[in-house]
Amino acid sequence: MSNRMWGGRFASGPAEIMADINASIDFDKRLATQDIRGSKAHAAMLGQTGILSAEDVEAIVAGLDRVAGEIESGEFAFSRELEDIHMNVESRLRDLIGPAAGRLHTARSRNDQVATDMKLWMRDAIDGIDAQLADLMQALAEKALAHADAVMPGFTHLQSAQPVTFGHHLLAYVEMIRRDRGRFKCARRRLNECPLGSAALAGTSFPIDRHATAEALGFTRPTANSLDAVSDRDFVLETLAACSIAAMHLSRFAEEIVLWTTPQFAFVKLSDAFTTGSSIMPQKRNPDAAELVRGKTGRIFGALQGLLVVLKGLPLAYGKDMQEDKEGAFDAIHTLSLCLAATAGMVRDMEPDRDTMRRWAGAGYATATDLADWLVRVLGLPFRDAHHVTGRIVGLASAKDVGLEELSLAEMQEVEPRITPAVFDVLGVEASVRSRTSHGGTAPDNVAAQARAWLDRLGKE
Ligand code: ARG
């Protein structure tokens, strides 16, 4: 039997394999709410413009509400023969209200319908992700405030560089997430133009009011070009790019959690709630959640990469290839949401080991820059010379296998005779972080003020 939605010029039905390759209902049924919302707005507009009678519109809207109810309660029978959510809904509407259902598709196509559905879905998805990003910022800022003065090693090249504070380190991620939220916000703003009424590709000869449907669905305006409207999936790409960058940030943090929770680093502890054991090694406490946040990043990048490849060779306008935008996008949003929840949970759960972090903060001559700065400030050496002198003093300490502050004044004076006992004031890690008062620096007072400012801002959102 040929397809009852579009089978007019077909003599027989599709090959069996078509149900598998062509049908999208298994994954696009999650667009049901958006699809019905779009159809109701479209029907109302067809009524307002006199294209449909008031009775037809009433029957259609009531019927769509019933369909929505059936889907919500789980009694709706999705059919793969009907390919996708659009035709499943319309077909059921015809069962319920008869021929008036066939008038709903006046002046539209599945091409503008699916683009509209995806935009509606993406908007909600972005709002959900944004709320989770804000929650993660909150968790980080709270923890940062509690440990604004906890000294830890700061690394470059993963080598001890200069001491920083744990709060400062956490607030670095707050800044990244602030930019992530900006990216989602921009993507949302740009996608918020309504494709509905672009019809298949060329627009329609019916006197529709696209401004009315755009407004009814909460879009800023209708899209300006019908060919673009049905072909555009860069709103999906842009959202996936924002997801990818956010996931990359989460993955870097997850990697740090993995490192920090090793017995070798032992900078932070995760409670039993966020660790798992080994089935053979009784001593193990594995940071599985952090590893999975790191690992799941791959699927999110994959969704972005996959869709870029799908779209890159497509001539205008719609092509069925575009149906491939959905599974990756749904999965990426779901995955990012999971990762955000797990990360916020770990942040709230983690307890830094302040003593261990402090002990390691000075390791590897991490206050050498403070010594060089002192030579510049107090003795008036050019920084390059101070760098050289400090290098020699570090070499001396390293040869003796002691820290900088464990050298005697006489030993330092062998390298630079004008050094005074006051130098010892700058060699400790607390003094080092306290001195970093420049805008954005790691001084504990700076960090606490930043954390408070963030908490204040987030509280007002
Ligand atoms: N299921 C399709 C998709 O997701 C809907 C649009 C189909 N349009 C068409 N002319 N076959 O892209």
Side-chain angles (χ1 to χ4, degrees):
M1 208 185 69
S2 69
N3 187 295
R4 87 163 177 174
M5 306 301 286
W6 46 248
R9 63 107 71 212
F10 288 75
S12 62
E16 224 172 282
I17 188 66
M18 287 300 277
D20 292 327
I21 190 168
N22 196 32
S24 53
I25 188 62
D26 293 343
F27 48 86
D28 69 15
K29 62 178 159 206
R30 75 169 73 193
L31 296 175
T33 314
Q34 291 76 13
D35 197 70
I36 290 171
R37 196 177 159 204
S39 288
K40 284 170 72 175
H42 183 68
M45 180 276 291
L46 293 176
Q48 284 153 23
T49 49
I51 299 167
L52 289 195
S53 70
E55 304 83 77
D56 280 347
V57 174
E58 208 178 299
I60 289 170
V61 170
L64 286 169
D65 282 337
R66 279 184 62 189
V67 176
E70 289 179 7
I71 292 174
E72 207 173 310
S73 68
E75 65 194 278
F76 190 94
F78 291 102
S79 146
R80 296 178 103 204
E81 279 68 52
L82 290 164
E83 286 182 32
D84 56 26
I85 186 62
H86 325 295
M87 298 205 295
N88 269 268
V89 169
E90 194 187 315
S91 171
R92 181 65 187 141
L93 186 64
R94 197 165 80 176
D95 297 341
L96 292 171
I97 68 166
R103 302 212 171 88
L104 169 61
H105 214 52
T106 313
R108 80 170 183 189
S109 146
R110 278 186 292 156
N111 298 349
D112 55 338
Q113 206 181 342
V114 73
T116 306
D117 290 5
M118 272 304 268
K119 284 187 167 187
L120 289 173
W121 190 89
M122 273 298 173
R123 247 172 30 186
D124 288 348
I126 289 173
D127 292 345
I129 292 291
D130 184 67
Q132 286 194 280
L133 287 166
D135 179 59
L136 178 56
M137 286 172 91
Q138 175 85 25
L140 286 163
E142 280 165 7
K143 200 54 80 166
L145 184 58
H147 300 286
D149 60 347
V151 184
M152 72 179 285
F155 300 96
T156 61
H157 312 267
L158 199 56
Q159 304 285 325
S160 298
Q162 293 174 352
V164 295
T165 78
F166 189 63
H168 194 55
H169 196 112
L170 296 184
L171 288 184
Y173 284 99
V174 171
E175 295 296 328
M176 295 175 226
I177 298 167
R178 171 178 68 86
R179 294 192 296 274
D180 288 333
R181 290 180 74 191
R183 273 179 278 274
F184 280 108
K185 200 169 161 195
C186 281
R188 192 192 193 286
R189 193 177 336 117
R190 232 185 319 276
L191 76 72
N192 207 28
E193 296 181 343
C194 186
L196 201 59
S198 300
L201 74 164
T204 175
S205 57
F206 288 97
I208 57 171
D209 182 352
R210 295 195 54 213
H211 291 274
T213 38
E215 202 190 320
L217 295 171
F219 288 102
T220 319
R221 61 184 81 85
T223 50
N225 180 301
S226 60
L227 287 167
D228 173 52
V230 295
S231 311
D232 167 28
R233 292 294 179 277
D234 52 58
F235 70 92
V236 183
L237 285 177
E238 229 180 318
T239 308
L240 289 175
C243 288
S244 295
I245 296 174
M248 176 275 293
H249 287 147
L250 296 186
S251 183
R252 292 181 78 171
F253 187 44
E255 165 66 9
E256 296 197 310
I257 294 173
V258 170
L259 286 172
W260 290 347
T261 52
T262 57
Q264 287 73 17
F265 271 82
F267 285 3
V268 307
K269 274 198 194 66
L270 286 176
S271 80
D272 293 356
F274 284 93
T275 44
T276 56
S278 155
S279 54
I280 175 171
M281 297 165 283
Q283 86 285 9
K284 290 296 287 281
R285 291 179 61 79
N286 295 328
D288 288 32
E291 292 168 86
L292 285 163
V293 169
R294 190 177 57 185
K296 283 179 185 293
T297 303
R299 325 160 59 114
I300 299 175
F301 292 4
L304 172 62
Q305 189 61 27
L307 186 58
L308 280 168
V309 175
V310 165
L311 295 174
K312 73 171 271 293
L314 284 189
L316 301 186
Y318 178 83
K320 198 62 175 265
D321 318 46
M322 289 178 182
Q323 180 167 287
E324 289 293 309
D325 63 346
K326 291 180 191 59
E327 285 165 288
F330 294 154
D331 183 73
I333 293 284
H334 171 70
T335 303
L336 181 60
S337 171
L338 266 182
C339 291
L340 283 167
T343 305
M346 283 189 285
V347 170
R348 293 197 161 99
D349 184 75
M350 69 170 56
E351 271 316 314
D353 184 334
R354 296 173 60 115
D355 291 338
T356 302
M357 289 197 306
R358 194 200 168 285
R359 195 157 3 97
W360 286 111
Y365 306 102
T367 56
T369 315
D370 298 271
L371 171 55
D373 287 349
W374 185 88
L375 295 169
V376 170
R377 209 171 41 244
V378 179
L379 302 187
L381 264 59
F383 184 78
R384 266 302 138 228
D385 299 347
H387 185 288
H388 186 76
V389 167
T390 305
R392 287 183 53 206
I393 295 175
V394 167
L396 200 66
S398 170
K400 295 187 69 182
D401 201 19
V402 296
L404 281 179
E405 68 289 358
E406 292 169 276
L407 287 175
S408 67
L409 182 61
E411 283 168 323
M412 288 202 216
Q413 285 174 336
E414 275 168 37
V415 181
E416 169 50 64
R418 288 174 295 165
I419 291 179
T420 68
V423 77
F424 289 100
D425 294 345
V426 301
L427 298 181
V429 291
E430 269 86 12
S432 172
V433 294
R434 237 186 292 119
S435 73
R436 300 287 196 272
T437 53
S438 54
H439 184 84
T442 199
D445 288 349
N446 264 6
V447 173
Q450 286 278 334
R452 277 199 205 93
W454 270 119
L455 290 171
D456 190 46
R457 234 168 109 176
L458 290 162
K460 285 188 189 131
E461 271 185 12

